[in-house]
């Protein structure tokens, strides 16, 4: 009888357990992926755009007005002399008569890659290789479409299409880990966000390029093992190393110079640029005037941004614009500058918020285009015939983005009507745009619109995904605000279980990134630790957790003062604000204040450690993935932007180090890192782990063999996310 009773009890327990709908495969493999459109490229006619087909076999042309397919520009199944079955991307020539088809793409770093390119002639439907000499990087058509320049093995090469695709070498001194021509070094690519450092003049007669001499930059070596997925046979018997140049704060960066190459005479000149010996050149770009090359420079402290106009033949450089900041200049002024025949538009935070400014091509300020206590997020274009400027901004709510138009008199028109996050790609004639909208509860809706905002056609509605998720126990999503004990109002989001019971008390997992200028609390579908509508949070909600994210001081969207208040001691205020967020949550009746965890990746991992060591024991457990642990170990450009050099700011570096506060660590801690992380080196993990050992602090750790900063490959991501969730389940419940 006792056996029957026990069996019946276990059977009842089994059936009383709620069936769980979300699996770790859903999290790791993004089962519920929103549909989107990849690689939209507006055409010259202003009426159409192209994009790749979903099977990567065709380039298809669509009408802006109707959203309908109007033709096929390229098809691997019908193109002559085509020896590949799919392709990765494409580049149109200026007149769209030729297309560079990208194949066999192999990633190098975050933005850089090599590929094998083919030249496709639209008229005769024929393909031919761009070069037989090996894979290429960053190919670029000349403005007249008769030449293509590219980089191979750190040198620039030139193919002349009118001379039987004759190939010649422009530079000859390129050498791995010593000299780079036409592409950026590692730290420029990572922190200035570009992968091509050369350009053609408007008359197609000159090439300007940045030369990086990294011979004096210290070398960094990453251990490599055989591993699996992929298996590296070269290290089967003995492990090896990948070595590259990586400057840490206060050491030598690459010495940079700007050169011009006269294609006809083959004369190479060095610009007479008044650059500091340790200054940066984050961009060069030819204007529509063949005798005017824009050279953008920063001093090493990154608080002075200069735009020079250089004559490529005389090499003389004239200062056009200087923008200065008491803290630092962000990337937008050089990353998003747009040149027109007689003017250019640039961004600046000089009035405390990121706004648009119109200059003459001579460098004279015409006017500030936008102004107010809100931020321009992107500049979309200038309709010069109507003198109207298009942009996105977060006016009215830092959590939302809308598409706007402003005319010459300053009259603004809000074009996007749906409240959430809107982004746009305009046609060449500024007559139409493709709008991508989403919010926290709506997957992306992609429409074509005219320039008054009127919807012309819906390209993607994701109704099937929304209907599918409606049948699942998705967490309820809500935004909230609270004021810290220091008087700062902070924004957050919270995801509660679908069957939330206000009379119960729930453990909490807080996720954050917290890096300078970042925003995680946004009204968009990408909300959540892994994005994609909060599937990770749904997984955790089914297991009884509430998920929370709070953007503390130093994050973006709220103006320069809020963002730059962490200058010279990053991590300190950010950690205080995560502690304040946890204390606020402890005051809510449905929160189990004794079971709050925190985690993050990269800067989020760093701030996890800083928050758990802030001195207030509010976090019972935490997971820090790929975390910088001392800014002396990270790269020069990023770190010095916010901290200056250790020689200038030793106190700030000490205050911002996880290692110096290990004695205050409270809570169970899991450290995770990829052994081949080229960004945040494994060194950060080892030095911090050793400090914990010597401080007699117990912790858990896991290393992923040969994985970089993204920690992906094979079964890796599933394993990682399983480890994260199980750690919180074990320690918070």
């Amino acid at each position: 009888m006792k056996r029957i009773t026990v069996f019946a009890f276990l059977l009842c327990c089994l059936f009383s357990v709620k069936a769980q709908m979300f699996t770790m495969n859903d999290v790791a493999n993004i089962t519920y992926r929103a549909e989107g459109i990849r690689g939209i490229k507006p055409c010259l006619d202003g009426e159409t755009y192209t994009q790749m087909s979903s099977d990567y076999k065709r380039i298809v042309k669509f009408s802006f007005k109707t959203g309908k397919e109007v033709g096929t520009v390229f098809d691997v199944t019908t193109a002559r002399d085509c020896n590949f079955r799919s392709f990765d991307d494409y580049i149109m020539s200026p007149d769209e008569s030729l297309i560079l088809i990208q194949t066999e793409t192999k990633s190098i770093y975050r933005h850089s890659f090599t590929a094998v390119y083919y030249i496709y002639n639209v008229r005769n439907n024929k393909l031919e290789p761009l070069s037989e000499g090996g894979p290429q990087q960053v190919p670029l058509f000349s403005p007249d479409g008769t030449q293509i320049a590219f980089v191979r093995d750190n040198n620039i090469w030139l193919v002349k299409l009118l001379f039987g695709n004759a190939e010649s070498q422009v530079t000859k001194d390129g050498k791995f880990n010593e000299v780079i021509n036409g592409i950026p070094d590692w730290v420029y690519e990572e922190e200035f966000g570009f992968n091509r450092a050369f350009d053609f003049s408007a008359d197609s007669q000159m090439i300007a390029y940045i030369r990086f001499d990294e011979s004096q930059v210290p070398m960094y070596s990453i251990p490599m093992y055989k591993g699996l997925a992929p298996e590296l046979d070269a290290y089967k018997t003995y492990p090896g190393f990948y070595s590259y140049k990586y400057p840490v704060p206060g050491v030598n960066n690459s010495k940079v110079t700007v050169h011009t190459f006269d294609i006809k005479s083959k004369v190479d000149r060095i610009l007479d640029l008044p650059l500091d010996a340790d200054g940066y050149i984050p961009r060069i770009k030819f204007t529509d005037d063949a005798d005017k090359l824009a050279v953008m420079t920063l001093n090493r402290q990154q608080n002075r941004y200069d735009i020079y106009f250089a004559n490529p033949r005389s090499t003389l450089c004239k200062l056009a614009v200087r923008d200065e900041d008491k803290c630092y200049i962000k990337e937008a002024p050089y990353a998003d500058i747009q040149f027109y025949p007689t003017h250019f538009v640039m961004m600046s935070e000089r009035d405390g918020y990121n706004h648009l400014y119109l200059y003459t091509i001579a460098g004279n300020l015409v006017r500030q285009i936008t102004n107010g206590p809100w931020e321009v997020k992107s500049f979309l274009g200038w309709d010069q015939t109507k003198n109207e400027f298009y942009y996105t901004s977060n006016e009215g709510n830092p959590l939302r983005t809308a598409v706007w138009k402003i005319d010459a008199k300053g009259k603004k028109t809000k074009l996007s009507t749906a409240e959430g996050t809107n982004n746009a790609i305009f046609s060449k004639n500024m007559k139409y745009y493709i709008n991508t909208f989403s919010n926290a509860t709506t997957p992306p809706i992609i429409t074509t619109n005219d320039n008054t905002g009127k919807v012309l056609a819906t390209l993607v509605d994701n109704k099937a995904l929304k209907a599918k998720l409606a049948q699942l126990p998705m967490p309820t999503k809500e935004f909230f605000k609270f004021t810290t004990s220091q008087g700062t109002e902070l924004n957050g989001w919270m995801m509660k279980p679908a069957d939330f019971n206000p009379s119960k008390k729930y453990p909490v997992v807080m996720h954050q990134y917290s890096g300078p200028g970042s925003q995680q609390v946004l009204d968009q579908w990408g909300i959540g630790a892994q994005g994609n509508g909060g599937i990770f949070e749904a997984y955790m909600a089914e297991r009884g957790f509430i998920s929370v994210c709070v953007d503390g001081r130093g994050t973006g969207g709220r103006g320069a003062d809020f963002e730059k208040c962490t200058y010279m001691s990053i991590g300190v205020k950010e950690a205080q604000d995560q502690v304040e967020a946890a204390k606020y949550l402890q005051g809510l009746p449905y929160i189990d204040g004794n079971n709050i965890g925190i985690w993050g990746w990269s800067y989020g991992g760093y701030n996890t450690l800083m928050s758990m060591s802030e001195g207030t024991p509010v976090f019972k457990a935490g997971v820090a993935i790929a975390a910088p642990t001392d800014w002396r170990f990270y790269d020069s450009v990023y770190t010095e932007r916010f901290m200056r050099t250790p020689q200038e700011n030793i106190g700030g570096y000490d205050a911002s180090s996880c290692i110096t506060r290990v004695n205050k660590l409270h809570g169970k801690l899991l450290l995770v890192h990829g052994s081949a992380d080229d960004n945040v080196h494994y060194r950060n993990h080892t030095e911090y782990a050793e400090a914990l050992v010597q401080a007699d602090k117990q912790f858990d750790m896991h290393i992923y063999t040969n994985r970089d900063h993204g920690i992906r490959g094979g079964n890796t991501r599933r394993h990682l996310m399983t480890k994260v969730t199980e750690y919180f389940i074990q320690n918070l419940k």
Side-chain angles (χ1 to χ4, degrees), residues 92 204 272 297 342 394 403 414 426 506 624 710:
M92 291 283 194
S204 303
D272 185 17
T297 72
T342 59
N394 64 5
V403 180
K414 188 177 182 181
F426 269 80
Y506 294 84

Side-chain angles (χ1 to χ4, degrees), residues 31-99:
T31 303
Y32 302 102
R33 187 189 301 272
E35 184 184 351
I37 297 178
R38 178 176 181 259
I40 295 171
K41 301 185 182 184
C43 296
L44 287 175
D45 60 14
E47 296 293 326
T48 58
Y49 62 92
T50 60
Q51 67 179 80
M52 290 175 60
S53 60
S54 58
D55 60 2
Y56 305 100
K57 294 182 181 297
R58 295 190 301 148
I59 300 174
V60 186
K61 182 176 285 190
F62 293 85
S63 164
F64 270 108
K65 190 172 184 178
T66 67
K68 302 293 186 182
E69 181 177 330
V70 295
T72 296
V73 181
F74 171 76
D75 189 334
V76 297
T77 64
T78 59
R80 296 163 57 197
D81 300 326
C82 183
N83 60 5
F84 49 86
R85 296 181 178 180
S86 63
F87 61 102
D88 305 320
D89 205 348
Y90 64 99
I91 302 169
M92 291 283 194
S93 68
D95 67 356
E96 299 176 355
S97 65
L98 301 174
I99 308 174

Side-chain angles (χ1 to χ4, degrees), residues 183-203:
I183 53 175
D185 65 7
W186 184 94
V187 74
Y188 267 70
E189 176 183 334
E190 176 68 24
E191 305 302 354
F192 291 133
F194 69 116
N195 66 352
R196 178 169 54 80
F198 70 85
D199 199 16
F200 278 99
S201 61
D203 61 6

Side-chain angles (χ1 to χ4, degrees), residues 508-544:
V508 173
V509 173
M510 293 174 57
H511 177 266
Q512 42 71 54
Y513 180 75
S514 302
S518 65
Q519 273 188 278
Q520 265 54 59
V521 184
L522 290 167
D523 191 6
Q524 63 179 11
W525 186 247
I527 194 171
Q530 298 289 294
N532 208 50
I535 298 300
F536 172 76
E537 288 72 20
Y539 180 89
M540 296 300 286
E542 278 200 300
R543 284 145 186 84

